[in-house]
Amino acid sequence: MSAAAAPLTVLGAVLDGEIAGVRCEGGRIAAIGPEVAAAPGDETLDAGGAPLVAALVNGHTHAAMTLFRGSGGDLPLMPWLRERIWPVEARLEDEDVYWGARLACAEMTRTGTARFWDMYWRPEATARAVADAGLTATIGAPLFDRDGDAGALRETALRSLDRLAALGPAISPALAPHSIYMVSEESLRWIAELSAEREVPVQIHLSETEREVEKCVAAHGDRPARYLDRLGLLGGHTVLSHGVWLDRDELELIAERGCTVVANPVANMKLAVGGFLDYPAARAAGVAVGLGTDGAGSNDSLDLLADLKAFTLTQKHAAGDPTAIAAGEAWEIATGARAPLLRGSPPGADVPAPLAVGAPADFLLLRRGAPELAIGDLASDLVYAASGSVVETTVVGGRVLMRDGLVPGEKEIVARAAERARRLGL
Ligand SMILES: [Zn+2]
């Protein structure tokens, strides 16, 4: 699906309460609003009065971990990793990752996600799955040098950047050091330099558990964000996932450096890490915030709308304040409107908002007559009442990936992924 999409015009949708259309050309929105008309030769789609909203951006996941869904999910983190995940990951083949990622892409298409940020083994297989599914993703090979092998880390990083860059416009390559406890100081400095030199983003798990913070302070004399800053890793290209234990001082530093932080509330609860990103403090500091599911091994769903409800409720609950975050603001977080880097925009660029002319043509038509959306404010209904099942049609880069609830090829994808999971003994 790498060829450019033919122009697509959607007519008869409901946008901000009025009947409107959207015309997509070259993967971007060329026109949107009540006056839109199809040009001769356009593919046209009659929305029949369905509400039109921006598609979602999943800021942190490990797509192929759909293969691990429902396996050992009630174990504590370390036994789960040691007994269920690592021995199986050692046997992964490209086709396992490909079909696991295709399964993830089918689920994301179904639940309204157009773009995601991924870190997983055999990243070229994930990239191939993303391109075949028609989604877009920023992908990095996970980088580790816990065993002191900085040379192997460098080789993996350079090789994967080159290979991912060759896979077409749907894929943006990234550097993905796993975490500050799995990558050495020397390698983190090298990654910071490479990221600046090649202008590629960096995604890293940060401050997920309290233990990680304690160990960082003991080993480096600084909390995690200060430590990363010292190594040159905090910048406009950096995405920090989790941020559960970031304090106010760290959040201010992160905002100053222009980093993005991705909250993963459901994975945080499933692994019982004891808290959540302090969103009101992040907002007050001016941090760009996005939302992620984390992998299906530790969530286990990739339905970002379901996680949006969890994000909003956990923030209200933690703050002891029902006004801590409003539905419209939460919706902007899920669509990447408050974190332009997550939508694939270079730092500092003048980026069109989702659904504006010039923005990627990524949008959804919601199920007409859905009971969850029938009454009340749409943003509020989407955040508190709906799940991904209200998505009826998904358009990514001006291409229709799901129409009227049908994802082409889904039956085969489900069967092949299940077959690969069986092969792995999952
Ligand atoms: Zn993760």
Side-chain angles (χ1 to χ4, degrees):
M1 299 198 53
S2 56
L8 168 75
T9 297
V10 177
L11 297 168
V14 175
L15 178 66
D16 299 328
E18 56 182 0
I19 294 293
V22 53
R23 184 162 189 276
C24 316
E25 209 174 352
R28 298 198 167 256
I29 293 178
I32 185 162
E35 310 298 329
V36 168
D42 284 6
E43 179 190 349
T44 57
L45 195 160
D46 178 9
L52 186 150
V53 295
L56 308 177
V57 177
N58 188 341
H60 178 66
T61 191
H62 313 277
M65 290 194 84
T66 48
L67 295 171
F68 296 90
R69 174 177 282 152
S71 173
D74 297 321
L75 292 170
L77 178 61
M78 288 324 285
W80 176 67
L81 287 172
R82 283 202 191 101
E83 292 162 28
R84 302 294 175 93
I85 304 295
W86 291 339
V88 179
E89 286 186 333
R91 292 187 278 118
L92 284 177
E93 295 175 356
D94 279 354
E95 288 303 281
D96 298 317
V97 172
Y98 176 82
W99 287 107
R102 282 301 301 268
L103 189 67
C105 289
E107 186 180 353
M108 287 193 262
T109 302
R110 202 161 257 304
T111 52
T113 291
R115 165 176 278 276
F116 63 96
W117 284 62
D118 199 83
M119 175 198 294
Y120 202 59
W121 306 113
R122 301 179 178 270
E124 296 101 272
T126 298
R128 200 157 47 86
V130 170
D132 287 350
L135 296 178
T136 50
T138 302
I139 299 177
L143 303 175
F144 297 82
D145 68 347
R146 208 169 46 148
D147 307 325
D149 197 348
L153 178 147
R154 290 180 188 203
E155 206 185 302
T156 304
L158 292 168
R159 194 182 54 227
S160 65
L161 281 188
D162 290 342
R163 287 187 182 171
L164 289 166
L167 290 174
I171 308 301
S172 306
L175 289 160
H178 179 272
S179 56
I180 56 172
Y181 53 89
M182 298 296 265
V183 183
S184 67
E185 186 169 335
E186 178 203 350
S187 289
L188 288 170
R189 279 187 201 278
W190 179 81
I191 288 164
E193 282 164 22
L194 185 65
S195 158
E197 189 189 307
R198 301 236 185 152
E199 296 191 327
V200 289
V202 176
Q203 43 175 337
I204 183 169
H205 296 105
L206 193 78
S207 223
E208 182 174 2
T209 65
E210 199 169 17
R211 177 102 183 102
E212 176 189 337
V213 179
E214 287 163 4
K215 282 173 87 172
C216 183
V217 172
H220 308 293
D222 265 327
R223 294 178 66 86
R226 293 246 157 235
Y227 170 60
L228 278 191
D229 192 45
R230 223 164 69 195
L231 308 184
L233 254 171
L234 290 195
H237 281 108
T238 307
V239 176
L240 309 169
S241 288
H242 297 298
V244 171
W245 299 94
L246 294 170
D247 67 15
R248 279 168 196 254
D249 173 65
E250 289 177 290
L251 287 167
E252 273 163 27
L253 175 67
I254 285 165
E256 221 170 275
R257 297 287 184 263
C259 306
T260 299
V261 179
V262 174
N264 297 269
V266 172
N268 295 153
M269 285 192 280
K270 186 145 186 270
L271 292 171
V273 302
F276 307 101
L277 168 72
D278 183 348
Y279 174 69
R283 177 182 53 203
V287 176
V289 173
L291 182 66
T293 54
D294 213 340
S298 59
N299 182 308
D300 293 357
S301 158
L302 300 176
D303 180 350
L304 200 69
L305 256 185
D307 286 29
L308 181 59
K309 179 170 182 172
F311 171 70
T312 310
L313 297 190
T314 51
Q315 290 300 328
K316 288 170 185 278
H317 183 74
D321 176 6
T323 71
I325 179 168
E329 185 180 352
W331 178 252
E332 287 179 3
I333 289 170
T335 58
R338 289 179 172 244
L341 180 64
L342 294 183
R343 290 190 285 124
S345 309
D350 193 11
V351 198
L355 294 187
V357 170
D362 301 344
F363 56 86
L364 314 172
L365 294 172
L366 306 176
R367 188 155 36 89
R368 287 151 286 195
E372 306 94 313
L373 306 177
I375 296 166
D377 171 66
L378 182 62
S380 193
D381 290 349
L382 282 167
V383 175
Y384 299 120
S387 69
S389 68
V390 300
V391 178
E392 194 169 54
T393 294
T394 301
V395 176
V396 179
R399 250 189 224 114
V400 183
L401 302 188
M402 175 171 79
R403 189 168 191 158
D404 298 332
L406 282 175
V407 178
E410 190 178 56
K411 211 170 157 188
E412 189 204 349
I413 293 165
V414 170
R416 297 292 295 273
E419 192 184 298
R420 299 310 298 194
R422 271 197 304 276
R423 186 194 83 81
L424 292 163
L426 291 162

